[in-house]
Amino acid sequence: MFKFSNLSYSKQRLAIIVAFSFIPLALLVTFAYLPVINMFKYSFSDWNGYSKRLEYVGFENYIKIFTDPEYFSVFKVSLYYFVATFVQMGLALYFATILSFQTWFKNFFKGILFFPSLMNGVAIGFIFLFFFKPDGTLDTLLQAVGLGSYVKLWLGNPEIINISLAGTSIWRYMGFNFIVFLGAISSISSDLYEAADIDGANRWHQFRSIILPTIKRILQLNLILAISGAISAFDIPYIMTGGSNGSKTFVIQTIDVAFKYSKVGLASAMAVVLLLIVIAVTLLQRLLIRGEED
């Protein structure tokens, strides 16, 4: 009798688990896995997004992405954001190191540095539109300090537009890296600093011999994530320029191909390429972590 009751209880528990898991799993499959499967299917076709006809063209879309300069050139724009990531990480690490020690108004500066990370990307885009526009905030500041000769069309000159946009991304994302680095540095035992002080080590020696080795894994992870972040840059350039004047990123190009030119098949192939890059970056990240643990 006891065994029967135990078996009945297990079946009831399994039924409850299945019942409560069905809706989340159904939503996950419907809105996550099924679209990805369809995306792979469309990437081998020339579908325009609304026609009932779906003609398969094999790997033609993928070949076009990597051979046609119109589509492959957008990868060059990603280099600006990738370089900006090094600047961003360097600044974040610099401020995190300084504010991990005793300084005046430490909490005030922490709030200022982290504040941009709390803002919406759309709001930041409109703020910097006003900042970079002709006779806007940046031009006014340059003229006020006697550097009016350096005033340029920051969002109108193809030679500097991506530098302006990458600079905006530095301001937006530096706060997040700053908090990550600050948390990692704050976890270092104070005994190490005290021992270093006894040995006569200055702040630079403490940074090089204590802080850097301790946060090396955090630096590696942020660097790897920077690769996928640089390729998937979207909101800042889309809001500020719409991809004009040579500022079109890979994601903006994908959206334009799909909805402006009705080449959903080609756009799906571009999305698959982006997905594969993100997966490769994630696998590389895990391999590095596993290597560190070994």
Side-chain angles (χ1 to χ4, degrees), residues 79-92 170 223 226-227:
L79 294 176
Y80 288 93
Y81 296 93
F82 184 64
V83 172
T85 300
F86 287 93
V87 178
Q88 168 192 303
M89 289 177 59
L91 291 173
I170 291 175
L223 182 60
I227 299 173

Side-chain angles (χ1 to χ4, degrees), residues 139-170:
D139 290 354
T140 303
L141 288 174
L142 290 175
Q143 290 170 357
V145 296
L147 298 175
S149 59
Y150 290 96
V151 171
K152 301 180 182 296
L153 288 173
W154 305 104
L155 299 179
N157 187 344
E159 295 181 359
I160 61 173
I161 185 171
N162 289 308
I163 298 175
S164 303
L165 296 174
T168 303
S169 70
I170 291 175

Side-chain angles (χ1 to χ4, degrees), residues 15 52 71 81 102 108 123 125 173-174 181-182 202 205 220 236 239 246-247 254 271 291-292:
K52 294 182 179 180
Y71 301 104
Y81 296 93
Q102 291 297 326
F108 173 73
Y173 293 108
M174 186 183 69
F181 289 142
L182 184 64
N202 57 29
H205 293 143
Q220 290 173 343
I236 293 296
I239 292 164
S247 64
T254 303
E292 290 287 333

Side-chain angles (χ1 to χ4, degrees), residues 29-208:
V29 170
T30 304
F31 296 106
Y33 295 132
L34 190 58
V36 170
I37 294 171
N38 286 330
M39 180 179 70
F40 274 93
K41 183 178 72 173
Y42 297 147
S43 69
F44 295 101
S45 72
D46 66 345
W47 190 45
N48 56 17
Y50 52 86
S51 174
K52 294 182 179 180
R53 184 181 62 86
L54 193 68
E55 182 179 344
Y56 290 96
V57 293
F59 289 93
E60 184 178 321
N61 290 327
Y62 292 96
I63 294 173
K64 184 178 292 187
I65 292 171
F66 292 104
T67 57
D68 193 331
E70 181 183 354
Y71 301 104
F72 187 74
S73 61
V74 294
F75 285 105
K76 297 178 183 178
V77 177
S78 300
L79 294 176
Y80 288 93
Y81 296 93
F82 184 64
V83 172
T85 300
F86 287 93
V87 178
Q88 168 192 303
M89 289 177 59
L91 291 173
L93 182 58
Y94 174 75
F95 288 118
T97 303
I98 290 177
L99 295 178
S100 63
F101 298 109
Q102 291 297 326
T103 56
W104 291 94
F105 306 108
K106 179 163 51 173
N107 291 332
F108 173 73
F109 288 115
K110 285 181 183 178
I112 289 178
L113 290 170
F114 184 64
F115 176 72
S117 299
L118 302 176
M119 295 182 65
N120 183 272
V122 177
I124 292 175
F126 282 113
I127 290 172
F128 276 87
L129 265 178
F130 185 81
F131 181 78
F132 284 120
K133 77 173 187 177
D135 296 326
T137 307
L138 181 57
D139 290 354
T140 303
L141 288 174
L142 290 175
Q143 290 170 357
V145 296
L147 298 175
S149 59
Y150 290 96
V151 171
K152 301 180 182 296
L153 288 173
W154 305 104
L155 299 179
N157 187 344
E159 295 181 359
I160 61 173
I161 185 171
N162 289 308
I163 298 175
S164 303
L165 296 174
T168 303
S169 70
I170 291 175
W171 186 84
R172 180 187 179 187
Y173 293 108
M174 186 183 69
F176 175 78
N177 283 325
F178 163 73
I179 288 296
V180 172
F181 289 142
L182 184 64
I185 294 172
S186 299
S187 66
I188 300 174
S189 174
S190 59
D191 295 339
L192 294 175
Y193 294 116
E194 292 174 3
D197 287 333
I198 293 173
D199 292 337
N202 57 29
R203 295 302 189 197
W204 166 247
H205 293 143
Q206 292 177 10
F207 173 78
R208 188 181 61 185

Side-chain angles (χ1 to χ4, degrees), residues 207-260:
F207 173 78
R208 188 181 61 185
S209 303
I210 298 175
I211 294 176
L212 270 184
T214 304
I215 67 171
K216 184 172 72 171
R217 180 177 295 178
I218 302 296
L219 283 169
Q220 290 173 343
L221 295 180
N222 281 357
L223 182 60
I224 293 171
L225 292 174
I227 299 173
S228 59
I231 296 174
S232 59
F234 169 69
D235 51 355
I236 293 296
Y238 187 77
I239 292 164
M240 295 181 64
T241 64
S244 61
N245 295 326
S247 64
K248 187 175 291 187
T249 63
F250 190 79
V251 179
I252 295 177
Q253 177 82 303
T254 303
I255 293 174
D256 284 348
V257 169
F259 300 106
K260 186 182 291 186

